[in-house]
């Protein structure tokens, strides 16, 4: 599995969020509610879309597919200014991330993520960090297309010796 270790700078994001679990996946509903608003958001940095997940502390230590987390549908902006009232600002604190390229349907991404967490991460010099996970859907992203591509970012930190 190819990866790249990157340092992400702080990002200012605007979008919408929903609480959900893996067993009660509401991502399509979230994006459907956000899509009509995107064009009204000022100061956008690009046409990229960002899908971001905020997991509570300990979420990955005792994995439960019914555990709740926040899912965000976002765009990056240069500053928080006069964004639509049905949206919220989110500041992504920068840090170290493992970057992966995912190609395929979102509905078939399970084995890809399983490989990251069960193969790549344990065999790397890194451990999971408690920061948001996110995907960037750029110009090669095609909704519900097997040729679609997106970049996946997993927050990491160097493994502590003796840990």
């Amino acid at each position: 599995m190819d990866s790249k270790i990157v340092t992400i700078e702080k990002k200012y994001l605007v979008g919408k969020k929903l609480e959900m679990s893996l067993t009660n996946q509401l991502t399509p509903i979230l994006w459907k509610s956000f899509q009509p608003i995107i064009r009204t958001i000022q100061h956008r940095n690009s046409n990229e879309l960002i899908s971001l997940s905020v997991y509570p502390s300990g979420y990955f230590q005792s994995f439960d597919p019914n555990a709740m987390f926040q899912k965000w549908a976002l765009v990056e902006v240069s500053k928080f200014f006069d964004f639509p009232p049905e949206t919220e600002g989110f500041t992504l604190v920068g840090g170290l991330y493992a970057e992966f390229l995912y190609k395929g349907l979102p509905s078939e991404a399970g084995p890809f993520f399983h490989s990251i967490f069960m193969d790549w991460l344990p065999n790397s010099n890194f451990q999971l960090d408690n920061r948001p996970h996110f995907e960037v859907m750029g110009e090669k992203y095609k909704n519900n297309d097997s040729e679609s591509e997106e970049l996946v970012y997993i927050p990491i930190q160097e493994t502590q010796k003796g840990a």
Side-chain angles (χ1 to χ4, degrees), residues 6 8 11 13 31 46-53 71-72 74-76 92 97-103 113 133-142 148-154:
V6 297
I8 300 291
K11 293 181 181 292
L13 309 168
W31 279 100
S46 71
N47 289 324
E48 294 177 336
L49 304 174
I50 298 172
S51 179
L52 181 141
S53 299
K71 178 71 117 180
W72 288 78
L74 300 154
V75 294
E76 186 176 358
L92 178 68
Y97 279 84
E99 177 190 273
F100 301 89
L101 175 64
Y102 176 70
K103 185 174 181 177
F113 283 98
H133 300 223
F134 65 98
E135 296 85 42
V136 175
M137 296 161 285
E139 62 185 43
K140 292 186 178 182
Y141 177 78
K142 302 172 195 145
S148 182
E149 293 184 16
E150 60 190 84
L151 291 174
V152 173
Y153 293 89
I154 306 297

Side-chain angles (χ1 to χ4, degrees), residues 103-106 141-149:
K103 185 174 181 177
L105 295 167
Y141 177 78
K142 302 172 195 145
N143 193 23
N144 289 322
D145 187 315
S146 62
E147 295 298 310
S148 182
E149 293 184 16

Side-chain angles (χ1 to χ4, degrees), residues 104-144:
L105 295 167
S107 61
E108 297 174 356
F112 172 80
F113 283 98
H114 184 271
S115 179
I116 290 172
F117 292 108
M118 302 309 285
D119 297 328
W120 183 87
L121 193 58
N123 292 304
S124 74
N125 294 321
F126 301 97
Q127 61 191 27
L128 200 57
D129 198 3
N130 189 26
R131 290 180 287 119
H133 300 223
F134 65 98
E135 296 85 42
V136 175
M137 296 161 285
E139 62 185 43
K140 292 186 178 182
Y141 177 78
K142 302 172 195 145
N143 193 23
N144 289 322

Side-chain angles (χ1 to χ4, degrees), residues 70-85:
Q70 281 183 354
K71 178 71 117 180
W72 288 78
L74 300 154
V75 294
E76 186 176 358
V77 295
S78 57
K79 61 183 175 178
F80 290 140
F81 178 78
D82 197 28
F83 45 85

